[in-house]
Amino acid sequence: MTSIAIPPGMPQYDDVPRYDVARVRADFPILDREINGHPLVYLDSANTSHKPRQVLDVLGEHYALHNANVSRSVHTLGTEATEAYEGARAKVAAFISARSTDEVVFTKNSTEAINIVAYAFSNASLRPDGDPRFRLGPGDEVVISEMEHHSNIVPWQLLCERTGATLRWFPVTDQGRLDESGLEDLVTERTKIVSLVHMSNILGTVNATSRITARVREVGALLLLDCSQSVPHLPIDVVDLDADYIVFTGHKMCGPTGIGVLWGRGELLAAMPPVFGGGSMIETVTMARSTFAAPPARFEAGTPPIAEAVALGAAVDYLTGIGMRAIQWHEKELTAYALEALGSVRDLRIFGPTVPVGRGGTISFALGDVHPHDVGQVLDSLGVQVRVGHHCAKPVCSRFGVPAMTRASFYLYTTTEEIDALVAGLEQVRKVFD
Amino acid sequence: MQLDQLYQEIILDHYKHPHGRGLRDADDPGDQVAEAHHVNPTCGDEVTVRVATDGDVLHDISYDGMGCSISQASASVLHELLRGRGAGEAFQVHEAFVELMSGRGQVTPDEDVLGDGVAFAGVARYPARVKCALLPWMAFKDAAARAGVGVSPEVKA
């Protein structure tokens, strides 16, 4: 056997960042709860994550001590609130290695972020002087995939309806990977935008995007990555990813609900027409017409979710404090453990990659013929919280020929004992329905 | 919560051995036949209920679908309870079942009216599952209305 020496100064194989999961769990008050007489086993973090005390405290303190509207007041509280809000933007920008803080637009969630892009395209298409990169009409194409969450399907279907453009999509392989074999035919000179999920919320697949990015650049299209499931779990660097837009949401990354992010390349955001009109997004307003603020304000009409943004900043601090590499590694180990443990359950079928490579800690499965609703109900009686249903990704369910799936998803606070509880619970399900 | 209140033996039995499953044509060519397909958008459960009636008697209620034990057992119970009944009587049973399911566990079911349907009393305590139990009943109501009996075709769970 030849051993390959890694040069000194480079990361070594055993150089894996670790953290104390028990200490992390102590930060999350809800993890002390009992459900139906059992300790809570929360395996639904892909749906929404729990929030550590550090985030809850910031949320409460903002309202208790610094509450005021942002970007419009000269008074002290207004200044504090504005600084906190803009400070959160800077934290988020640093978290994803954005070149500029102005590339971070706060939204309500990922869904709103995708819709902003889709409607900016729509609005540009209506204007004769609209930037040609955003103008869509008959003959133009939008490319998505069969693996998308509904939030990355429906806005594009609606955009195509409004503009006469055509929607096309990448298929999914039997292994639950993106089928890139038709890339050259799918992404062509007709393509205006490719909008893909970075990590599937249902299959757990993490898509390798470099081939697609190269093709997108070759044909002069734009690339949006839905990072709702990846930003919370992996180190994300938008420069490395080389996308044009990414979207993600606060509540899946230890932050509150009601706050999400659209990141876009500065010059693209600057060229995009506004979507929502109202306060804060203007430069000047007369009764006849208005001119608009530069991004990100142009896309943040009205009073934004200020406290939520500030708390998202706290969530980013929290995750950074533990280290995204460490979180990624923890979940990789959990995923490997879970894939093996679930693989030992009789008559259990995993949808998506069955190896812990190119996938995250979200595993969907079927247990024999037992309907996922019934699986979830029995598990709930044991305190095990999983998601059941179509996971807002009905085309994936159709692709694998089932109406619904059961999904277990992990996060930084998940333990192998919780995966054991899931496996034991599945035996219980079997007892009820066999 | 007690799981066996939800998954009563009667429900599991109807689920594992459904009564009258499968969509059928009317025996009597003079019957009005109509069907309705309902889905539960949150979980993807689906059921199609078909009603064959001469306007007075529900000669057959056939169904097909896929879904959880609660929705499929409920369809089986629906078939058993309402097939062959007069339309007016059937809608009284329908009303009693809807009342039971909407009662958050506070309604005491009448076994004389609801038969095996009383087993669903426990389901009413699980708000997330009430829609599962009601799915075939709402499809039935639409199908019956389309076949010319009943109240309104626009009823939704």
Side-chain angles (χ1 to χ4, degrees), chain B residues 13-14 17-22 24 61 63 75-77 79-80 116:
Chain B
D13 197 49
H14 274 280
H17 311 286
H19 301 210
R21 191 182 172 90
R24 289 177 291 278
I61 296 166
Y63 64 94
S76 172
V77 168
H79 160 87
E80 194 166 81
D116 280 0

Side-chain angles (χ1 to χ4, degrees), chain A residues 36 371 373-374 377 390 433, chain B residues 6-7 41 45 67 69 126 129:
Chain A
N36 298 321
H371 192 277
H373 247 173
D374 294 320
Q377 193 82 58
H390 54 56
F433 288 96
Chain B
L6 177 68
Y7 293 121
D45 280 359
S69 59
Y126 293 79
R129 304 304 294 277

Side-chain angles (χ1 to χ4, degrees), chain A residues 49-126:
Chain A
S49 74
H50 288 312
K51 330 298 174 197
R53 192 170 282 113
Q54 290 84 337
V55 170
L56 300 174
D57 287 351
V58 167
L59 191 61
E61 275 166 23
H62 179 83
Y63 281 123
L65 302 173
H66 311 291
N67 181 53
N69 212 330
V70 293
S71 314
R72 62 194 70 183
S73 313
V74 295
H75 55 63
T76 301
L77 286 181
T79 307
E80 286 176 12
T82 304
E83 278 175 3
Y85 181 69
E86 293 304 329
R89 194 192 306 279
K91 288 175 184 181
V92 170
F95 189 63
I96 57 171
S97 302
R99 292 175 188 86
S100 156
T101 301
D102 293 339
E103 292 183 333
V104 171
V105 177
F106 281 130
T107 65
K108 183 172 72 180
N109 48 33
S110 295
T111 300
E112 187 180 87
I114 294 172
N115 276 280
I116 286 174
V117 176
Y119 273 96
F121 270 62
S122 203
N123 291 347
S125 305
L126 291 171

Side-chain angles (χ1 to χ4, degrees), chain B residues 11-104:
Chain B
I11 292 180
L12 290 176
D13 197 49
H14 274 280
Y15 173 54
K16 290 171 187 168
H17 311 286
H19 301 210
R21 191 182 172 90
L23 292 168
R24 289 177 291 278
D25 292 329
D27 287 337
D28 184 340
D31 272 0
Q32 283 285 333
V33 179
E35 64 182 40
H37 176 77
H38 276 213
V39 301
N40 182 344
T42 57
C43 64
D45 280 359
E46 297 186 30
V47 68
T48 303
V49 174
R50 187 181 289 176
V51 172
T53 177
D54 59 6
D56 292 322
V57 176
L58 307 175
H59 287 143
D60 194 13
I61 296 166
S62 61
Y63 64 94
D64 205 356
M66 51 185 182
C68 66
S69 59
I70 304 295
S71 67
Q72 301 306 301
S74 180
S76 172
V77 168
L78 166 85
H79 160 87
E80 194 166 81
L81 276 176
L82 302 190
R83 189 176 68 133
R85 302 282 278 267
E89 212 180 32
F91 279 103
Q92 281 173 15
V93 177
H94 186 279
E95 198 180 320
F97 189 79
V98 173
E99 189 199 351
L100 174 65
M101 296 319 301
S102 317
R104 296 214 154 230

Side-chain angles (χ1 to χ4, degrees), chain A residues 270-290:
Chain A
M272 279 159 60
V275 173
F276 300 112
S280 302
M281 52 77 72
I282 53 93
E283 188 181 57
T284 185
V285 175
T286 65
M287 287 315 292
R289 62 183 55 83
S290 304

Side-chain angles (χ1 to χ4, degrees), chain A residues 110-274:
Chain A
S110 295
T111 300
E112 187 180 87
I114 294 172
N115 276 280
I116 286 174
V117 176
Y119 273 96
F121 270 62
S122 203
N123 291 347
S125 305
L126 291 171
R127 297 153 63 132
D129 63 340
D131 191 304
R133 288 172 294 181
F134 312 129
R135 282 172 61 85
L136 277 175
D140 292 324
E141 292 175 353
V142 173
V143 176
I144 58 172
S145 86
E146 208 178 4
M147 201 190 280
E148 304 305 321
H149 187 281
H150 295 165
S151 59
N152 201 24
I153 299 175
V154 184
W156 305 114
Q157 290 174 337
L158 294 173
L159 174 65
C160 288
E161 272 177 29
R162 289 193 300 271
T163 59
T166 303
L167 186 68
R168 303 182 69 191
W169 52 88
F170 287 93
V172 169
T173 68
D174 289 343
Q175 290 72 39
R177 305 277 184 193
L178 202 62
D179 182 352
E180 294 176 39
S181 57
L183 175 63
E184 317 282 306
D185 292 329
L186 203 49
V187 180
T188 67
E189 277 70 23
R190 291 187 298 277
T191 310
K192 284 302 188 92
I193 186 164
V194 175
S195 189
L196 287 180
V197 69
H198 190 216
M199 172 176 155
S200 162
N201 75 308
I202 180 163
L203 299 169
T205 314
V206 176
N207 289 315
T209 54
S210 59
R211 260 192 78 203
I212 295 168
T213 309
R215 180 64 181 161
V216 166
R217 299 288 169 242
E218 194 181 326
V219 302
L222 296 170
L223 177 67
L224 185 151
L225 292 178
D226 173 3
C227 296
S228 306
Q229 299 288 345
S230 56
V231 164
H233 301 279
L234 322 168
I236 293 289
D237 179 322
V238 290
V239 178
D240 277 0
L241 262 186
D242 194 26
D244 295 303
Y245 307 97
I246 75 166
V247 304
F248 54 100
T249 193
H251 71 95
K252 294 189 201 294
M253 52 188 287
C254 298
T257 54
I259 183 77
V261 173
L262 164 64
W263 169 84
R265 279 183 200 284
E267 59 100 13
L268 283 176
L269 291 179
M272 279 159 60

